[in-house]
Amino acid sequence: MKPAVFFDRDGTLIKAVHYLNDPDQVTLMNGVGQVLTELEQAGYLRIIVTNQAAIGKGLLTVDGLHRVQQRLDDLLAIEDATIDGWYFCPEVRVAADDETIDFPDRKPGPGMLLQAAGDFDISLADSWMVGDRLSDALAGKNAGCRGSIVITPRPFDKELLSHPSVDFVVASLDHINEIILRSGRPI
Ligand SMILES: [Mg+2]
């Protein structure tokens, strides 16, 4: 079994755009390529798990989402980086908060991570979840991941800092490998 780092997409690997539906709206966060490559070299699978309510709302088609992903893959290739897989949930949120599981696959539900774990033979207990919202951290915890990291601008949100499902809060993506790679892992 392999460890993985699960990544939220919008606001984590690429700049957040409300209901992004055009490949031209894809902009990588600084340092993405290096972060992904370092994780690959350390033996981690890199998997995107993204809530895409834009599909459920009829603002984006599944084909359109694939075109957005192709643009993301192309931009990563320029940085000599890749991901191993990606999963999306098209459901529209029902709950007003980030903690209630509306659908098993919609974060904070663990469904996409569990699916990936089956597909890639991932050891969830050795894996991490990285995102920009509490719902991302909770999806990781609900799936049984080893740790969760939330990327959020300073000043850090006190609620995030004290939430039991958030293990680390950092200001930008390029800080996550200091945590993940330093944690070591069973070989
Ligand atoms: Mg996000």
Side-chain angles (χ1 to χ4, degrees), residues 8-12 16 107 131-133 136:
D8 168 55
R9 194 193 74 180
D10 300 344
T12 300
K107 296 174 289 181
D132 69 329
R133 298 181 70 116
D136 297 314

Side-chain angles (χ1 to χ4, degrees), residues 80-158:
D80 283 327
T82 58
I83 57 158
D84 295 290
W86 61 284
Y87 294 80
F88 70 95
C89 176
E91 304 290 356
V92 179
R93 77 187 288 164
V94 178
D97 63 83
D98 256 12
E99 304 202 40
T100 303
I101 297 175
D102 292 328
F103 302 94
D105 288 346
R106 182 178 161 81
K107 296 174 289 181
M112 291 188 281
L113 290 79
L114 299 179
Q115 177 73 41
D119 293 345
F120 287 89
D121 197 25
I122 289 166
S123 168
L124 289 165
D126 296 313
S127 297
W128 292 77
M129 177 73 214
V130 178
D132 69 329
R133 298 181 70 116
L134 177 57
S135 54
D136 297 314
L138 282 163
K141 289 291 163 166
N142 288 333
C145 285
R146 173 180 185 173
S148 67
I149 306 172
V150 177
I151 302 165
T152 190
R154 289 176 190 276
F156 294 146
D157 179 334
K158 284 204 179 70

Side-chain angles (χ1 to χ4, degrees), residues 8-10 13-15 23-24 26-29 32 36 48 50 65-79 81-83 86:
D8 168 55
R9 194 193 74 180
D10 300 344
L13 294 181
I14 66 176
K15 299 234 164 88
D24 288 339
V26 177
T27 310
L28 292 184
M29 292 293 194
V32 171
L36 292 174
I48 293 175
T50 178
L65 179 63
H66 279 266
R67 284 193 289 277
V68 168
Q69 183 61 42
Q70 185 60 56
R71 177 70 178 149
L72 175 48
D73 290 341
D74 292 346
L75 291 173
L76 289 177
I78 294 169
E79 300 193 8
T82 58
I83 57 158
W86 61 284

